[in-house]
Amino acid sequence: MVKVTLDNITKRFGDFEALKRVSLEIADKEFMALLGPSGSGKSTLLYTIAGIYKPTSGRIYFDDRDVTDVPPKDRNVGLVFQNWALYPHMKVFDNIAFPLELRKVPKDEISKKVKKVAEMLHIENLLDRYPWQLSGGQQQRVAIARALVKEPDVLLLDEPLSNLDALLRLEVRAELKRLQKELGITAVYVTHDQAEALAMADRIAVIRGGEILQVGDPDEVYYKPKYRFVGGFLGSPPMNFVEAEVQDSYLDVYGNKIPIPPQYRELVKKLGIREVILGFRPHDAEVVKGKAEGLFGTVYSFEPLGREQIITVSVNGASVKVFAPEGEHFTFGEQVTVKLREDRIILFDKKTEKALEFLLEE
Ligand SMILES: Nc1ncnc2c1ncn2[C@@H]1O[C@H](COP(=O)(O)OP(=O)(O)OP(=O)(O)O)[C@@H](O)[C@H]1O
Ligand SMILES: [Mg+2]
């Protein structure tokens, strides 16, 4: 239960810069997701917070205490590794008890604590089994219990649900979110799964190539992406992008005239920008039959998903995906128009791929 501050952290492995001047503040009791593609530096950042890696430069603080040179065992962090190995020769009880035994906690206290954390994770009836007698999801919960039992100040989780099947993942994800809030532990949760980050986190830090691109609550990073990459990484399907040219009062998108969204009119003028990328989310548009104001194209494909369907529309060679209600019928090649919800449009600078509203900062 502490605030974690990363101040300008750089981590080099030889010549390779895995983390580049990362600054991030994780509030007391906050659930922070570190979201990014494979190789973006998520684990490196997590292990740096844990003290397993020492930053090449920069400082780390737990509250006001500078822990940059403090070894992992003196940081009171609970760490669940990406490949959550349990000790195979120990029963579940002993696996969970292990961190407390290292601390020479009295036996009856250990017993009480292990039982309590096991109950919280619904594994209290498994304490007498060996890891190989457990399902993947149960093993996972044992690993989480082991990290929790020592009542860490900071809980660090590295893709803890990545090996579970989809259903179990949904179940454990809800449990974990509730548990973190009940215990009031500051948590950093590494994932490359955008849905998991959106569902669980108070705030999300999007990381790419060792740099944090954006930090914000789920709504913010979802609806107000700072970079094209962020819009394209979150959402399923992710944000659509089409190239557009700014004209006097409209945007030319492959010959379609789209009015410049009101929220951008002043800014576009001020920036004097011509080449932009127009981004919109699949549920911030609708598909109507025939030609209308919007992006005119043809139906390339449609995928029913139960309650709704995804329509893929070809717009002069570009492809965009839009949600449509379940009952509507579409045919391959049919002429349609994608009508955009104006207030949700995001315009990015084509060169830097940064959203226009962020172009003037720094
Ligand atoms: N010990 C190391 N020595 C050299 N390079 C490393 C080392 N650890 C990580 N790297 C490199 O640093 C980059 C970030 O690695 P990291 O493990 O942090 O990625 P990640 O975001 O956790 O990826 P994944 O989602 O695949 O687990 C990668 O390019 C990786 O090859
Ligand atoms: Mg990793």
Side-chain angles (χ1 to χ4, degrees):
M1 284 153 263
V2 299
K3 176 177 95 177
V4 177
T5 307
L6 305 173
D7 181 18
N8 224 3
I9 300 289
T10 292
K11 177 66 186 171
R12 265 188 227 110
F13 296 112
D15 292 343
F16 180 74
E17 233 176 29
L19 296 175
K20 297 170 186 163
R21 294 164 299 284
V22 169
S23 290
L24 183 64
E25 211 168 87
I26 303 150
D28 181 31
K29 301 183 178 61
E30 184 172 32
F31 193 125
M32 174 72 80
L34 280 181
L35 175 69
S38 188
S40 56
K42 304 182 297 296
S43 296
T44 305
L45 189 54
L46 201 71
Y47 298 157
T48 308
I49 298 172
I52 294 173
Y53 289 154
K54 210 179 152 228
T56 310
S57 64
R59 311 302 298 177
I60 301 172
Y61 303 88
F62 284 7
D63 287 335
D64 294 328
R65 175 176 170 231
D66 185 336
V67 296
T68 315
D69 301 309
V70 174
K73 67 174 176 51
D74 298 328
R75 291 193 188 195
N76 198 22
V77 297
L79 178 60
V80 178
F81 283 95
Q82 199 161 0
N83 49 355
W84 26 273
L86 302 174
Y87 309 112
H89 58 285
M90 288 184 195
K91 288 187 170 174
V92 168
F93 181 94
D94 299 310
N95 260 284
I96 299 174
F98 192 70
L100 300 179
E101 263 155 27
L102 283 185
R103 283 189 197 168
K104 312 238 180 307
V105 174
K107 280 261 180 286
D108 52 334
E109 202 177 316
I110 290 183
S111 178
K112 246 189 256 157
K113 287 193 164 158
V114 170
K115 285 204 177 104
K116 188 166 163 227
V117 75
E119 269 164 30
M120 277 195 279
L121 286 157
H122 307 300
I123 48 173
E124 67 272 23
N125 52 352
L126 304 174
L127 293 175
D128 222 20
R129 295 203 200 165
Y130 286 96
W132 51 269
Q133 296 170 313
L134 302 178
S135 77
Q138 291 166 338
Q139 287 183 44
Q140 182 52 61
R141 279 180 278 179
V142 175
I144 296 168
R146 189 174 57 187
L148 279 176
V149 79
K150 56 182 187 179
E151 292 158 19
D153 290 328
V154 185
L155 182 62
L156 304 170
L157 303 145
D158 196 352
E159 312 237 12
L161 311 184
S162 55
N163 295 337
L164 309 195
D165 72 53
L167 274 181
L168 195 55
R169 190 189 287 212
L170 285 181
E171 192 189 313
V172 180
R173 157 174 128 181
E175 271 176 46
L176 208 54
K177 176 173 178 165
R178 187 172 166 117
L179 204 60
Q180 185 265 342
K181 280 291 170 267
E182 270 175 17
L183 299 174
I185 297 178
T186 308
V188 185
Y189 187 100
V190 162
T191 181
H192 61 253
D193 180 344
Q194 54 88 29
E196 216 166 85
L198 286 171
M200 298 176 82
D202 296 318
R203 285 194 302 155
I204 301 173
V206 182
I207 181 169
R208 180 187 64 177
E211 281 178 288
I212 292 188
L213 295 184
Q214 186 170 9
V215 186
D217 62 42
D219 263 7
E220 222 172 313
V221 288
Y222 189 79
Y223 285 111
K224 295 274 170 221
K226 196 166 170 181
Y227 289 90
R228 174 189 175 148
F229 175 84
V230 177
F233 199 73
L234 282 106
S236 173
M239 191 172 245
N240 294 295
F241 302 104
V242 288
E243 292 193 1
E245 220 181 273
V246 179
Q247 306 290 356
D248 294 339
S249 60
Y250 62 91
L251 301 167
D252 182 331
V253 185
Y254 311 120
N256 299 282
K257 284 185 180 179
I258 306 280
I260 298 176
Q263 71 270 28
Y264 280 110
R265 275 176 207 158
E266 293 264 311
L267 189 57
V268 160
K269 230 184 265 160
K270 189 165 156 194
L271 293 168
I273 206 160
R274 267 189 86 79
E275 302 210 298
V276 294
I277 292 165
L278 184 158
F280 65 96
R281 296 238 169 245
H283 48 235
D284 289 331
E286 59 172 329
V287 184
V288 299
K289 310 246 174 198
K291 194 159 174 126
E293 187 177 277
L295 307 176
F296 183 62
T298 56
V299 171
Y300 181 78
S301 190
F302 38 90
E303 303 157 66
L305 295 174
R307 211 164 67 87
E308 49 195 358
Q309 47 181 332
I310 301 172
I311 315 296
T312 306
V313 180
S314 289
V315 181
N316 265 7
S319 154
V320 300
K321 291 184 189 290
V322 181
F323 281 115
E326 57 183 324
E328 267 178 61
H329 190 71
F330 292 94
T331 51
F332 291 108
E334 181 178 5
Q335 293 195 325
V336 291
T337 301
V338 175
K339 298 184 77 167
L340 307 179
R341 182 171 157 179
E342 217 174 24
D343 62 321
R344 287 281 173 79
I345 288 175
I346 305 283
L347 297 181
F348 300 89
D349 170 33
K350 192 176 163 189
K351 250 191 270 138
T352 56
E353 303 203 327
K354 202 169 184 180
L356 298 191
E357 50 267 56
F358 295 101
L359 217 50
L360 293 172
E361 61 175 39
E362 282 151 39

